[in-house]
Amino acid sequence: MKKQTFIHGAIILLAAGIINRLLGFIPRIALPRIIGPEGVGLYQQGYPFFIVLVTLITGGIPLAVAKLVAEAETAGQPEMSRRILHTSLRFTVTLSLLAMVLCLVFAPWITSHILTDSRVYYTFISMSPMIVIVAVSSAYRGYFQGKQNMIPSASSSIAETVMRIFCVIWFAYLLLPYGVAYAAAGAMLGALAGELIGMVVLLWQYVWNERRDRIPYQTETSLPSEVHLEESSVLSRLMSISVPVTAGRLVGSLSYLLESILCMRSLAVAGIATGIATAQYGAMQGMVIPVLLLPGVLTSSLAVSLVPSLSEAAAKGHIMAIHKRLHQSLRLALVAGAPFAVIMYVLAEPLCLLLYNNGDIAGMLKLMAPFALFMYIQAPLQAALQALDRPGSALFNTFVGAVIKIMLIVWLASQPQYGIYGAVIAICINNAIVTLLHGFSVSRLLRFRVRLLDFWKTGAGMIIMAAAVLYVYRHLAMFDQMWLQFIFAAGAGIILYLLLMTSIKMIDWDNLTRIPILRRWFKAKEI
């Protein structure tokens, strides 16, 4: 199985992530047009509960498997790597099957007493089998990441996205005549089909890699005795890593669940009807936040690739390598996310009209856009804490941010003058607080110093780009159609931004030669 470097792994995941995010926007754009914001709200209300269960079962498993497999591969123990995978599979499948059965049995009570709209029942039932599928996929993703082979995860996610696009739109359209609740459930069934295909691709990749490497499957009785002794503690080692990570992510998942429940209840206190509140929440979670998370494909790719890279460097005691990886990750996340934040702020209204044919949600996007930078740099910082065995710090930081967010939602969203914007403000403040706390924890752990000059340079580039985009869009009307004028203004701003970042050495084009395909191209040019 071919092992990639940190940069290569991040590039592979980034390429797949970009494809997934771009393709994934097809159902996100089409779904509100088919089932409306209210249907999107029903679709989104079921997700927080699902995420809590998945986090509880598999939250820290991928990271724990990746870390232990990376250590086993470094020590030259491929048998141990497979045993780690099989142990994690037995654990996650058992828990996920139990959780699925409980969800199906208690679905009527959960949707009528915990969630705020009983129409979520059909969506809740449709999503329950996904718990098992995600559990299986998480173990295999961690295994491949530990081997620093990101191709299986990338191909799996692309296959999942393609299937999801087709099925979400098709199933929602087929069930729409039966009502918006059934249409939302149909969209969830489409997501289930996507997850299933993604899991199948991962299983095929595993079998294919095993056969290619000609490593026969060994049963537990055929393994050497010294491996037996190590395997007796595999589960405990998995738990020692995954439990703190799961706890940290569970805080975020629970806060997401509480956010959905308390946000709806607070809007009711503010005098907003249930149907309107569901539509507003659906617009925020299903339409605005996905736009904000689009550049997050880079940070998530960096975070996934960063864990095994930092774990390997820490095992060898290479502190300078850790610092270098962190600087690379933070700079890439900052520089790549900044132009998107500018476009989402300056061109919020035309962007929302083009994507959703709904300009009313532009205010939410414009308010959240500047704070999106905190989201983009948060993922590498959290990955560093987890890779360096400090998940407790990530847990504490996430918990503090979650408590503040929930308190602000209850306080602000229940006031008529704020309404849904109270929840938007709370989410923005939460992202800023958690990111700053993560940065402080990493700095104290590694004596790591963030290069503030990078932030000043990027901020200056953003201001110049924002002025240029606004001027081009409003005063250089080159096209009659709004989408062409939008692309023209955004493209001009991005070109200017790239030139600025290159001139002040924030972007080093020499790094392109690290990409295998481009490396061969540059060598061919030299010849």
Side-chain angles (χ1 to χ4, degrees):
M1 185 181 297
K2 186 176 180 180
K3 172 181 174 181
Q4 293 106 24
T5 65
F6 165 68
I7 293 293
H8 293 167
I11 289 171
I12 290 171
L13 291 177
L14 173 60
I18 291 174
I19 295 172
N20 285 337
R21 290 296 172 92
L22 293 177
L23 292 176
F25 252 85
I26 296 176
R28 289 196 177 277
I29 294 171
L31 199 59
R33 297 172 183 263
I34 296 174
I35 64 178
E38 189 175 357
V40 174
L42 294 173
Y43 177 79
Q44 289 294 141
Q45 278 192 60
Y47 252 119
F49 201 93
F50 166 75
I51 291 175
V52 168
L53 291 176
V54 169
T55 302
L56 188 62
I57 296 169
T58 68
I61 291 297
L63 185 140
V65 172
K67 182 176 175 60
L68 293 182
V69 168
E71 293 175 356
E73 292 296 311
T74 302
Q77 296 180 319
E79 297 88 358
M80 178 57 68
S81 297
R82 291 197 297 278
R83 183 52 55 196
I84 291 167
L85 170 64
H86 299 152
T87 303
S88 64
L89 280 173
R90 284 193 290 268
F91 174 77
T92 55
V93 169
T94 301
L95 286 184
S96 60
L97 284 172
L98 177 61
M100 182 188 71
V101 172
L102 291 176
C103 282
L104 294 173
V105 171
F106 291 101
W109 184 85
I110 292 172
T111 54
S112 60
H113 290 82
I114 297 180
L115 303 180
T116 56
D117 196 325
S118 59
R119 292 177 297 172
V120 184
Y121 171 79
Y122 304 105
T123 303
F124 192 87
I125 289 293
S126 301
M127 76 180 187
S128 296
M130 273 201 296
I131 299 173
V132 179
I133 299 173
V134 172
V136 174
S137 298
S138 67
Y140 280 100
R141 291 182 193 277
Y143 174 76
F144 286 119
Q145 289 161 13
K147 285 181 168 287
Q148 299 191 39
N149 180 10
M150 306 304 172
I151 293 176
S153 295
S155 58
S156 168
S157 60
I158 292 174
E160 173 194 331
T161 302
V162 172
M163 178 60 71
R164 184 189 294 256
I165 290 172
F166 176 74
C167 292
V168 164
I169 297 174
W170 185 35
F171 292 170
Y173 178 78
L174 287 177
L175 295 178
L176 182 60
Y178 299 96
V180 68
Y182 285 95
M188 188 61 73
L189 287 174
L192 170 64
E195 293 286 352
L196 181 61
I197 290 298
M199 182 190 71
V200 171
V201 171
L202 279 172
L203 293 174
W204 178 82
Q205 291 271 8
Y206 175 76
V207 173
W208 185 82
N209 277 289
E210 290 290 286
R211 289 178 178 176
R212 186 192 63 179
D213 294 341
R214 296 181 180 179
I215 301 175
Y217 175 80
Q218 292 174 291
T219 61
E220 188 171 341
T221 57
S222 65
L223 291 168
S225 59
E226 60 268 23
V227 177
H228 267 298
L229 294 175
E230 294 183 43
E231 287 182 357
S232 63
S233 62
V234 167
L235 183 58
S236 63
R237 292 178 66 198
L238 282 170
M239 292 299 100
S240 66
I241 298 172
S242 65
V243 168
V245 175
T246 299
R249 293 181 178 175
L250 190 60
V251 170
S253 300
L254 285 172
S255 72
Y256 183 31
L257 176 60
L258 288 174
E259 170 193 319
S260 64
I261 296 172
L262 294 178
C263 181
M264 296 289 292
R265 297 187 185 278
S266 297
L267 292 175
V269 172
I272 300 174
T274 301
I276 297 176
T278 300
Q280 290 182 347
Y281 180 79
M284 181 183 71
Q285 286 290 350
M287 298 164 74
V288 174
I289 291 182
V291 176
L292 291 167
L293 293 178
L294 180 61
V297 61
L298 171 64
T299 58
S300 60
S301 302
L302 289 171
V304 170
S305 186
L306 195 61
V307 171
S309 178
L310 291 187
S311 298
E312 184 177 5
K316 296 178 180 179
H318 294 170
I319 301 299
M320 295 303 296
I322 295 175
H323 282 222
K324 180 181 178 181
R325 294 289 181 264
L326 280 174
H327 280 302
Q328 287 176 332
S329 300
L330 291 175
R331 174 177 284 194
L332 282 170
L334 182 65
V335 172
F340 290 94
V342 170
I343 292 172
M344 288 185 290
Y345 180 83
V346 176
L347 302 179
E349 185 172 356
L351 181 58
C352 292
L353 285 171
L354 289 171
L355 291 178
Y356 306 116
N357 196 27
N358 187 344
D360 296 336
I361 63 175
M364 287 190 282
L365 179 61
K366 192 167 187 176
L367 180 59
M368 300 183 80
F371 292 89
L373 283 176
F374 289 104
M375 290 193 294
Y376 304 151
I377 64 176
Q378 184 181 127
L381 292 172
Q382 181 163 322
L385 290 173
Q386 293 169 347
L388 299 173
D389 294 326
R390 291 296 186 277
S393 298
L395 168 60
F396 176 78
N397 299 338
T398 306
F399 177 76
V400 171
V403 170
I404 294 174
K405 179 180 70 172
I406 295 301
M407 293 173 61
L408 287 175
I409 286 177
V410 174
W411 176 40
L412 296 175
S414 59
Q415 300 184 36
Q417 64 268 34
Y418 291 111
I420 191 64
Y421 281 88
V424 170
I425 294 170
I427 292 172
C428 292
I429 294 175
N430 167 71
N431 285 322
I433 290 175
V434 173
T435 302
L436 292 174
L437 289 175
H438 282 350
F440 176 75
S441 298
V442 171
S443 176
R444 185 176 59 181
L445 173 63
L446 298 172
R447 296 184 180 179
F448 177 78
R449 293 293 176 265
V450 176
R451 296 172 181 171
L452 294 178
L453 185 59
D454 289 351
F455 287 85
W456 286 109
K457 289 180 178 179
T458 305
M462 291 174 67
I463 294 173
I464 296 172
M465 176 186 170
V469 170
L470 187 61
Y471 178 80
V472 171
Y473 187 78
R474 290 185 176 179
H475 301 291
L476 295 181
M478 302 292 292
F479 305 96
D480 294 332
Q481 294 180 320
M482 182 174 61
W483 69 273
L484 288 174
Q485 185 65 18
F486 174 88
I487 293 175
F488 176 63
I494 290 176
I495 292 173
L496 175 62
Y497 173 82
L498 292 175
L499 292 174
L500 288 171
M501 292 296 102
T502 303
S503 64
I504 59 179
K505 307 299 183 183
M506 286 294 291
I507 295 178
D508 184 5
W509 294 106
D510 290 338
N511 286 334
L512 289 175
T513 59
R514 299 188 181 190
I515 305 175
I517 296 176
L518 295 181
R519 185 195 302 128
R520 292 193 292 269
W521 184 82
F522 280 116
K523 286 183 177 180
K525 285 291 184 181
E526 291 175 0
I527 295 173

